[in-house]
Amino acid sequence: PSDWLSKPISEGSVPEFFRIIYELDKVLAYRPYLIRDRAHVLQHLDKMKTFQAIVILVHFHCLASIYHGCGVTVEVDLSDGHNIHKGNSPPPNPNNVPSFTPAIPGTSHLNAISEDNECQQMEKLLLESAPIMNAVGPANTQIFVNITTEIGYQPGQRKQSLLPVHLPTIQCFSIDSEYEYVPLTQNQLLAEDDGYLPLEASSEFTWRDTGYSFLERYYPGSEISIVNRIAEAGKMTYNKVGIHRCMNKINTEPFRNAVWYYVHRLFGVIHDDFNYELIENLLFRDIKNYITLVATQPYRVNEAYYEKARGKLFQHSEMVHINIMIMEAKLQAQLLYFFRAISDVWLR
């Protein structure tokens, strides 16, 4: 029977399968690095049904990132969302929803000079970074641990005005609303905390082999599209930097990798074949702050964060591409943690 759908989730009327999926979904959305400790609940669940449910939900986590990162208007299941209005008048924009109209790039002489300087600096950094992208030294793990993860606010300082407010029909299915992303500590990243074990993506799990095989086995028909989509997200490029003036064709792969692996770093995924110096060299503070919010707390993103990250260096289409990379890198990290967890339970 489906009468539980009309009752609050806290009343205990929800079927066991959905309660378990809810808990796993919450952890994967905010702290996927903790999913391994909860994997034991999967032992008695239908494997394909559970796997497919989690893969679908992970896609929604990541769509939320690009949804907020690009400033998409809130929808009808939120109390301040929009409805289809009769007549020709547009739906109102509530005061507590920031307008997200893209700004027109400046055309003044000073703006042009500043843009030239930013472009030249980025081009120089990209040229210097390309030869050392995979030059991994003995200190690479420590560099990974020491990377500064800009976040723009202190964990626990949640402002009610920033939280998405759902309609009562949706809110009744939400519990533990204070659960959120918490940055990993150095002890956790160095595997000195019993509650967390870093995921070494290159040696422990390779996406090309592990990801494809798990998807093929438990969600047949999805593996090609998901694997190809993730690969394509990291390849897209104009082969240049800058809005107008930087027209030199240049290899932007170091920057694209820095974005991708920085998202993985936020969730504790380490790659033993990537030089983490590139993250600190290529991602300036505002773009790191923006990436952190889009990946971990997307509902906090507003136009100010977007414009600071964009600066005079990126076109709006390039910002959309950065959001696509954040979305797919986040999806890949969450799935890798989930695959490791189910391998502990289902494949032993």
Side-chain angles (χ1 to χ4, degrees):
S2 58
D3 58 344
W4 64 271
L5 288 169
S6 62
K7 301 176 182 178
I9 197 171
S10 58
E11 286 187 5
S13 59
V14 181
E16 181 186 21
F17 174 78
F18 289 101
R19 290 202 308 271
I20 292 173
I21 291 297
Y22 181 94
E23 182 65 23
L24 295 175
D25 178 57
K26 178 187 73 175
V27 175
L28 280 171
Y30 290 108
R31 306 175 196 174
Y33 40 83
L34 298 180
I35 196 69
R36 201 175 198 178
D37 285 344
R38 291 158 174 79
H40 64 278
V41 300
L42 296 167
Q43 289 177 339
H44 306 297
L45 298 183
D46 180 278
K47 293 178 181 178
M48 292 189 71
K49 182 180 177 182
T50 303
F51 186 93
Q52 292 174 20
I54 291 296
V55 170
I56 291 169
L57 288 168
V58 165
H59 276 78
F60 276 93
H61 305 164
C62 301
L63 285 169
S65 287
I66 194 169
Y67 166 97
H68 288 285
C70 293
V72 178
T73 306
V74 291
E75 292 294 345
V76 294
D77 60 342
L78 299 180
S79 61
D80 53 5
H82 70 267
N83 287 282
I84 297 175
H85 288 254
K86 294 181 180 180
N88 297 322
S89 59
N93 182 25
N95 292 332
N96 61 335
V97 179
S99 174
F100 215 121
T101 305
I104 300 174
T107 55
S108 70
H109 178 63
L110 289 177
N111 279 335
I113 292 174
S114 178
E115 182 182 320
D116 271 345
N117 289 339
E118 286 191 30
C119 292
Q120 290 168 6
Q121 182 182 10
M122 179 59 78
E123 285 185 348
K124 181 175 181 291
L125 288 171
L126 286 170
L127 288 171
E128 293 173 349
S129 298
I132 64 168
M133 193 161 46
N134 303 114
V136 177
N140 201 46
T141 299
Q142 192 61 49
I143 295 172
F144 168 83
V145 170
N146 291 338
I147 287 173
T148 55
T149 53
E150 304 294 341
I151 198 164
Y153 66 94
Q154 294 298 317
Q157 292 183 346
R158 299 184 72 135
K159 293 184 179 180
Q160 191 64 34
S161 61
L162 293 177
L163 292 174
V165 181
H166 295 91
L167 296 176
T169 52
I170 302 295
Q171 188 63 38
C172 68
F173 298 113
S174 177
I175 57 175
D176 200 7
S177 59
E178 294 301 306
Y179 196 85
E180 64 179 343
Y181 170 79
V182 175
L184 289 157
T185 66
Q186 289 199 3
N187 285 342
Q188 288 174 317
L189 292 170
L190 291 170
E192 295 174 359
D193 187 314
D194 292 337
Y196 167 77
L197 184 65
L199 196 157
E200 298 180 8
S202 300
S203 57
E204 183 180 0
F205 279 99
T206 62
W207 174 252
R208 181 176 299 176
D209 298 328
T210 306
Y212 191 95
S213 63
F214 269 104
L215 289 165
E216 183 180 39
R217 180 172 183 174
Y218 295 113
Y219 202 162
S222 71
E223 65 276 6
I224 294 176
S225 62
I226 292 177
V227 170
N228 287 350
R229 192 188 69 226
I230 287 175
E232 187 62 30
K235 292 178 183 177
M236 294 187 294
T237 181
Y238 293 135
N239 288 310
K240 69 179 186 70
V241 292
I243 297 174
H244 295 302
R245 297 176 179 272
C246 302
M247 299 304 292
N248 298 329
K249 196 167 184 177
I250 194 166
N251 179 15
T252 61
E253 185 180 5
F255 177 81
R256 287 179 277 128
N257 283 350
V259 171
W260 197 282
Y261 293 121
Y262 178 62
V263 174
H264 279 199
R265 163 62 178 79
L266 292 170
F267 295 111
V269 180
I270 184 170
H271 295 260
D272 58 17
D273 58 353
F274 175 72
N275 183 352
Y276 284 95
E277 288 184 3
L278 267 64
I279 290 176
E280 298 291 51
N281 292 345
L282 294 173
L283 301 184
F284 52 89
R285 180 176 182 177
D286 288 334
I287 191 70
K288 284 176 73 179
N289 199 358
Y290 176 78
I291 292 170
T292 302
L293 291 179
V294 172
T296 65
Q297 297 285 294
Y299 56 80
R300 294 183 184 272
V301 179
N302 58 28
E303 187 175 7
Y305 284 116
Y306 176 93
E307 288 298 342
K308 281 186 177 181
R310 191 175 78 87
K312 295 180 172 62
L313 192 58
F314 301 113
Q315 302 179 59
H316 292 294
S317 60
E318 290 173 311
M319 290 298 292
V320 172
H321 179 209
I322 289 172
N323 272 271
I324 291 173
M325 289 193 292
I326 296 169
M327 175 180 68
E328 299 292 9
K330 177 179 178 179
L331 181 139
Q332 188 182 53
Q334 290 186 358
L335 288 181
L336 282 170
Y337 275 114
F338 178 60
F339 295 162
R340 184 176 71 172
I342 63 175
S343 69
D344 291 343
V345 178
W346 292 351
L347 303 182
R348 283 187 174 180

